[in-house]
Amino acid sequence: MNHRAVRELVSPLSDTPETEMHALLRKPLPSVAAPAWTGSALGTVVQSLPDGRFVVEPQQCGTPWHCPRAASCLLQPGIGDVVLVAGPQRDQLFLIAVVTQADPSQSQLVADGDLTIRSRRGGVSLQASAFALRADKATVDITDMAYRGAEVRVTTLVARFVGRTLETVLDRLSLLTRSSFRLTEEVEQVRAGQIDMQASESLRLHAKNTFVTSQALVKIDAEQIHMG
């Protein structure tokens, strides 16, 4: 046997491992089939889109879902929240519930239109350590209202009160105004232990009939007194 024949016999055997390795490297990886769709799945919110949809990454890997929020899901989803999505097929899904919040210290109830909270037979109670109400316009229609509190502060540019009867019981009343105008069509009565009235410029009393009476003393003191 000559050297050429020896090389022909040995060469295929020596190249076999490298050939198999290159063949394995060129071989495509087997595709992982998506699990069968069961109608609902859990995922994590990774993005909020401007059109109101949310990008949800499946927990079992796969292509992210673009899901609109269902009308029944009033809790606004946040980034990092674990949510439940459901739908008849993978390309028609809705975000129906927030399962776990990434930041449970802040929650928002969001509705696209008017929102009404109604109890047919009971009442509605709001309890919180702090309460804030913000609106461009508000209307409160209550038949009977009772308020109890330690302190009330009201800051407004214009306040108007229209009613039939006003009753106020106070220990002390302080009123500071730049100008004051009061009009009483019928009777105005004042009962006080002492009355002190002081004007820096002038004081005028005018009526069709004026009566000034005293049980003990009437004193008029001025530089000039004009009567008649």
Side-chain angles (χ1 to χ4, degrees):
M1 182 180 293
N2 55 18
H3 295 285
R4 181 178 179 182
V6 173
R7 287 198 302 270
E8 290 178 355
L9 292 175
V10 175
S11 179
L13 295 176
S14 61
D15 293 342
T16 299
E18 295 181 359
T19 304
E20 293 179 355
M21 182 177 296
H22 288 293
L24 289 175
L25 293 176
R26 289 193 299 269
K27 186 178 181 180
L29 295 175
S31 59
V32 178
W37 180 246
T38 60
S40 63
L42 294 177
T44 303
V45 178
V46 296
Q47 186 180 359
S48 177
L49 300 178
D51 59 357
R53 296 184 300 165
F54 297 89
V55 179
V56 180
E57 182 177 349
Q59 288 190 345
Q60 297 180 354
C61 300
T63 305
W65 300 314
H66 292 68
C67 308
R69 182 169 57 94
S72 60
C73 182
L74 297 180
L75 183 62
Q76 179 72 6
I79 304 300
D81 291 356
V82 177
V83 296
L84 177 64
V85 298
Q89 49 192 354
R90 291 181 181 274
D91 57 353
Q92 190 179 357
L93 299 177
F94 294 90
L95 194 159
I96 63 173
V98 177
V99 179
T100 304
Q101 291 181 281
D103 184 10
S105 62
Q106 296 183 357
S107 301
Q108 294 184 6
L109 298 180
V110 179
D112 295 333
D114 295 338
L115 178 63
T116 301
I117 300 177
R118 179 181 301 174
S119 176
R120 294 184 180 275
R121 295 180 178 84
V124 177
S125 177
L126 298 177
Q127 297 181 4
S129 58
F131 178 76
L133 175 63
R134 179 180 298 176
D136 295 334
K137 186 177 181 181
T139 301
V140 180
D141 188 358
I142 300 176
T143 303
D144 188 5
M145 178 177 177
Y147 172 81
R148 293 189 301 272
E151 186 174 354
V152 176
R153 299 186 187 91
V154 179
T155 302
T156 181
L157 295 178
V158 179
R160 296 183 178 92
F161 299 93
V162 179
R164 184 178 299 274
T165 303
L166 175 62
E167 297 180 0
T168 304
V169 180
L170 303 171
D171 288 337
R172 180 178 179 182
L173 175 63
S174 297
L175 181 62
L176 302 177
T177 63
R178 186 180 298 274
S179 60
S180 176
F181 174 77
R182 186 171 60 187
L183 175 62
T184 304
E185 293 184 357
E186 295 183 1
V187 179
E188 180 172 328
Q189 297 181 358
V190 179
R191 299 289 187 269
Q194 294 182 356
I195 297 179
D196 183 4
M197 302 179 63
Q198 181 178 351
S200 59
E201 295 296 333
S202 61
L203 175 64
R204 177 176 178 268
L205 295 176
H206 176 73
K208 182 177 181 180
N209 299 306
T210 303
F211 301 92
V212 179
T213 61
S214 175
Q215 293 182 355
L217 176 65
V218 174
K219 181 180 179 181
I220 301 176
D221 186 6
E223 294 182 358
Q224 297 183 8
I225 299 176
H226 299 272
M227 302 185 67

